Each structure stands twice: as C-alpha cells, then as structure tokens.
Amino acid sequence: MSKTVISMKNIIKRYYIGQPNELQILNGISLDVHEGEFVSIVGASGSGKSTLMNIIGALDRPTEGTYFLNGTDISTLNDKELSRIRNSEIGFVFQTFNLIPRTNALKNVELPMLYAGKSKRERSERAMQLLELVGMKERYTHQPNELSGGQKQRVAIARAMANNPSILLADEPTGALDTKTGRLVMDIFHKLHKEDGKTIVLITHSPELAQETERIVTISDGSVISDTGVKDNGLY
Amino acid sequence: MGFIESIRLAFSSLSANKMRSLLTMLGIIIGISAVITITTIGNSIQQTLKNTFDQINMNYFYVMLNSKPYDENCGMTEDEYYDTMYISEEDMFTNDMFNSLLEKYPNQYKIAMSEQYASGETVNSKNEYIKTNITGATDGYLEQGKIEIIDGRNITQRDNTEKKNTAVVSDIFVKQYFGDGENPIGKQITFSINNAETQDFTIVGVYEYSEAKMGKFPAGSKDIDKVTPVFIPLDTAQKLKGVLNPTYDYAVILWNTDYSSAQAEENLRSFFEEQYEQNKYWTVYVENEQSMLSMINSVLNVITIAISVIAAISLIVGGVGVMNIMLVSIIERTKEIGIRKALGAQNSSIRMQFVVEAVIICLIGGVIGIVTGILNGVLIGKIVSYLVNNIYTDYMDIIVISIQPSVTAIIISVIFSMLTGIFFGYYPANKASKMNPIDALRYD
C-alpha cells in the first residue's frame, strides 16, 4: 500500500455560521488519496466540488472534520502556514489558466519558486526544464496575451509543477479549451502521472473526462455518492 | 520573497502602466519641485548675501549719535528742548575719544574711517601722467574692506597720530609708475594735489586692487588710465586739508574677534555713553553689523521654511493621489492577487509588493521633482543675475550672486517622498494582502 497523500475525515463546511441563512455545503466527506493516484472528482454545479477543491488546495479550512495532507493537519493551520502548504505541496491548474498578465511564461513559471525563496539561477533553470517538459520552451519570453488557450494551460501546468508539489490539483483544466487542445492538455497530465508518478486530483463536471482517470469520486449535494476505487481503465 | 525581487516586480508592474504611473507621480513631482524651487531660491539669496557681505569684514560696529529723551530736570520745556536740539561741533566724535578708547582697550578695537582728500597726479619715468585718488584712511579701514596688503605694510595708528606722509598704493599704480621689477617700498613720490600744490609721500605698502570691491574700470581702459586710490593716514589728510581737530558724526569701529561680539558691543556702548554723559542732547547708538546679518538670515530662514511648508501641502495631496491609484490598482489586480496567493504568496509578500510599488512611484516622482525644482531655482536665479547685471548695474559691483540648491532640502525631500510612499501605500497594500484568495480568484 503506497503512502496516503490526502486523508479527509468527515469534512463539513458551513457558511454564514450562526446566521439565519446558515448554509452547509459539505456534509461530512471522507476521502483518502494515495501517492501516485490519478483521481477525478465529479459533480454537477452546486454539488460542492468547488468547495471541496478549495479545502484540498488549502485555500480554505473545513468547519469540522480533519484533513491531513502528507501527514500535516491542514484544518488547524494559520494563514501563513497555509500559504506555505499551497506553495510547496499543491500545484494548481485552473480552468481559466490564471497566468499573471504582462508577465512572460518563464516569469510565470518561476513565481511559486520566487515565493519559496529559491535563487534566481535555480528558478530559471527549473522553469526552463518545466517549459521544455510541456513543450513551451521556445515561447518562454511570450506574455500570456501572446499565447493560445492550450499554450497558456501548458505554461500553467509547468507553473503548477514548479516546486514539485505532492499533488496537482486541476479544476476543469480543459473547460476553456476546444477538444483538440483539451486532448493535448490531458495527455500532459497522463504523462506526468505515468512517467513521474504524480498524484493528480482532477475536478470536473464531465463524466467522459473522468473516465480517463484511474478512480472516480462522484459528489452530489455535498456528499460522496460513489467512489470507484483504483481501477485500470485500460486506456493508458 | 526578497526585497530585491519586490523592487523588480514593482518596476515591471509600473512599466506595464506607464501613463498611469506618470500621472500618479505628477502630484509628487509638483510637490517636491515646489519645495526645492523655494529652498533653492532661499538658499541662493542667503548665499548671495553671505558672499556679498564676505567681501568686507563684518566684525564692525557702526556708532551714531542718538538723541536723548527729554528730561524734565534739564531746565527747559519740552518744546525748548527739541527746538534747540542740533548736532554741533562739540557733540561729534573726536580723535581724542578714539585715542582714549584704544588706550582703554588695547588691541580690542581698530578705527575704520576714511575721508576723500584730493585727486593726485604724478608722472612716471616715461613722462606718462598717472591719476589717483588720495584718500585718508585709518588702519582699520583697509582691514574692514578686506583690502589685501601684498607688499610692505598697512597704514598704522602711529602714522596717523604722527600725521606722517606715508602712502599705501595699488599694485596697478606700482606698474604704472615703476613698471615691472622695481621695489616700490620706501620710494618717495611727488603728487600734484588738485593741480594746485605738490606733496611728497613715501610708499610703505602695496595693496591688491579688486574690481569687485573697489569698482570696475570703464571697459577697454588702458592700464595707464586706470585711476586707483592712494591711501594716506586719515589725520595726515585732515591736516593737509587744514583741519587740525577733525570731528565725525559717525564712527566705524572694528573689533578683535578674540573677544566676543556681545562683550565688544557692551564695552563700546558703555565707553561712549560715558563720553556723552554730560551732553545735554546726545548719546550714542551702537549697531552691530554682524548681528544684523544673522538677523536677516534668520528672518530669511523662517520665510523659506514657512513657504516650504505651504508647498509641502501639495505633497500630501500627491500622497493621497498615490493612495487613490494604489486602491484602484489593487481592485484591478484582485485576480492577480488571488493567483499569487494560490501559488503560495504570503500576506507579507503581497503587502511588500504594493508598498514597494508606492514607494518607487514616490521616489521616482521625488527625484524628478528635485531635478525640476533645481532647474526652476537656477532659472529664476539666472533671471535675477541678468537683471542685476544688465538693468540694475549700480549694484553689480556689490552683489555677488550665488545660485545654490539646498542640500538639506534635497535630502529631506528624498526621505519625505519615501515616507509618503510608505504612509499612503500601506493602507492599500494591507488591504490587498488581507484579501481572501478564494474570492480574489473568482473576481472578474
């Protein structure tokens, strides 16, 4: 049995606590993700999957329950410690790419390493390697507005990998792309999974995309309604 | 994230919004340049005053007669008293007074008086006529005018009391009379006095003629035509004029700076007050020229500071402008802040980024302001010099114009503009750093 990267026990998230319009989004989710898994979390809009993603990504703390990420209890950390976790343990890939505008591809990829306090030389060397890995090496001087959607997402994946995080957390990474470029992006995720053994959590509303992954966790109304467990879907 | 990285980041963000950055800076530029312009002008006026007064020795007192207030016990009505009040010969300063002052306080004072005697003409070995102005002067007179003796000696008090026919001539006169190479000291020269009689004077010293202090020669005048003063002892001049007991209605008295100005002033006042104790109408008024100058300077300082403070108000307006733009900027860049936070930026890094940005805006604005301020000040100074040199030419010889920006004001401006950046940048930066990353990421 490989190492448990994410270990969630009975996670509950409420908003407007103590007010008349108090809202419970997550109703006690328990989820374990092991090292090297490629998991998809599937759910319709409003199912609570975005809230769950924010908690997994250490952007938010659960109201109740415990969340261990690589053995660290995330639910008790302060803002500063959460920043450090996001910086070193999580690699975000967003639907809308979220590259920093007016900042070239290389600088964007360097950014997480900048916040980690790495030296300039170390940053640019690693950033160039990662850009090469996603096939964007030749365009390292390009600014986001000079890149296509697929290219932007590849730069974003390189950026997510910058500090070699424990998990890649991808939120609808192909949602803003056409089928062809979306395919290309998914291929990169599969490559990172197969070749580097990266743990990847893919959040999507699309069952077809989820089918590509080893394990599908389906969420509805803030609860896990099905979990396929690790399977070999034979596609890759 | 390091400080250097923050600076780099701030520069790239500022250069991405050049127009906006420039407009934001404008407030700071105007504020700082106004302060620097004013302090440059103030400083230049002070320097000009200093240089102008530096040409003469300021360590002197001006002693004048001053009317005594009416005293009921003097045996006259008030009307009678004021009707009969006038300065007669007996009321004026005499050589006896000066001598007893010098005796009472040896080495403390020097009399600095002069009196035009006559025009003197002489002929050199080439039969060329040389015109001079023969002026009676005491030892303190040349010293007060900072007229430098370059050869021989100054006129002494002894020359004066003994009414000797000694003379101190200009370097120009030496060239005119002797040509080059001959030692003029000890030579006796016969002058024709007002073309009526002749007098012989023995040269004891040579002074350096300064056009700035003693007047420019007419443009293009030949060396032989230059008229310079020949200084002879004051009492000699008076004697030659037929005045055996000269009197003066004012006195210029230098003091030895080994003694304090206050002490020197007090001694002088009490000395003369004693001299005039029995005088019905008159006593003396002693004016300390040194303290006059420092008074003018301190008034000027107060004015400069007051105007600078008014100008500095525009800096506050500029600072509010910076804050406003920074607030707009963080709203515009909310998403960017969210992304940075998701990538692991700590609140302190975000805060630092925006504070550094504000400080850099203010610093660049400050530097531009300093440069424009200096240029403004220099330009105004040049205009004033032009006016003095071309329109008010009477003052040209006296005034030494010096345009100098105030270094203190420049240093204060740099620090002040940095503080403006920190002060007005902190609130927006702190607001940015406290943003919730989830909300910030969702912002469009």
Side-chain angles (χ1 to χ4, degrees), chain A residues 78-96:
Chain A
N78 64 25
D79 280 354
K80 193 174 170 180
E81 290 159 334
L82 282 180
S83 305
R84 208 191 53 75
I85 293 288
R86 288 197 293 269
N87 186 238
S88 61
E89 303 289 331
I90 315 274
F92 284 98
V93 179
F94 302 95
Q95 179 175 3
T96 51

Side-chain angles (χ1 to χ4, degrees), chain A residues 171-211:
Chain A
D171 180 18
E172 304 274 13
T174 61
L177 302 175
D178 59 51
T179 324
K180 203 176 139 204
T181 49
R183 181 71 261 140
L184 210 74
V185 165
M186 281 311 289
D187 287 347
I188 292 172
F189 280 117
H190 285 296
K191 187 174 151 198
L192 289 170
H193 176 233
K194 288 266 186 246
E195 291 175 12
D196 296 5
K198 213 70 272 139
T199 312
I200 301 172
V201 176
L202 174 76
I203 293 161
T204 182
H205 68 281
S206 148
E208 296 84 44
L209 208 59
Q211 282 302 325

Side-chain angles (χ1 to χ4, degrees), chain B residues 131-156:
Chain B
K131 280 204 173 95
T132 65
N133 275 319
I134 301 181
T135 302
T138 59
D139 51 351
Y141 179 75
L142 277 80
E143 217 171 284
Q144 190 220 347
K146 286 195 175 170
I147 297 168
E148 211 182 326
I149 303 291
I150 52 174
D151 197 3
R153 61 168 176 86
N154 192 359
I155 288 166
T156 60

Side-chain angles (χ1 to χ4, degrees), chain A residues 15 50 54 59-60 79-80 83-84 86-87 90 92 94 96 98-103 107-108 111-112 114-115 117-118 120 123 159 163, chain B residues 1-2 5 8-9 12-13 16-17 332-333 335-350 353 436-438 441-442:
Chain A
Y15 289 104
S50 289
N54 287 340
L59 286 165
D60 205 354
D79 280 354
K80 193 174 170 180
S83 305
R84 208 191 53 75
R86 288 197 293 269
N87 186 238
I90 315 274
F92 284 98
F94 302 95
T96 51
N98 283 351
L99 297 180
I100 305 276
R102 296 182 293 263
T103 305
K107 289 248 165 77
N108 261 289
L111 206 54
L114 183 72
Y115 290 125
K118 300 254 171 70
K120 179 146 182 59
R123 292 200 309 257
R159 185 178 67 181
N163 286 331
Chain B
M1 187 173 59
E5 293 296 343
R8 204 170 286 155
L9 210 59
S12 64
S13 142
N17 287 294
E332 196 184 84
R333 287 154 70 185
K335 183 134 193 171
E336 180 189 324
I337 294 163
I339 299 165
R340 288 179 184 278
K341 287 199 151 192
L343 296 178
Q346 289 177 8
N347 292 359
S348 58
S349 305
I350 302 282
Q353 180 188 340
N436 177 343
I438 299 168
L441 271 173
R442 215 176 279 150

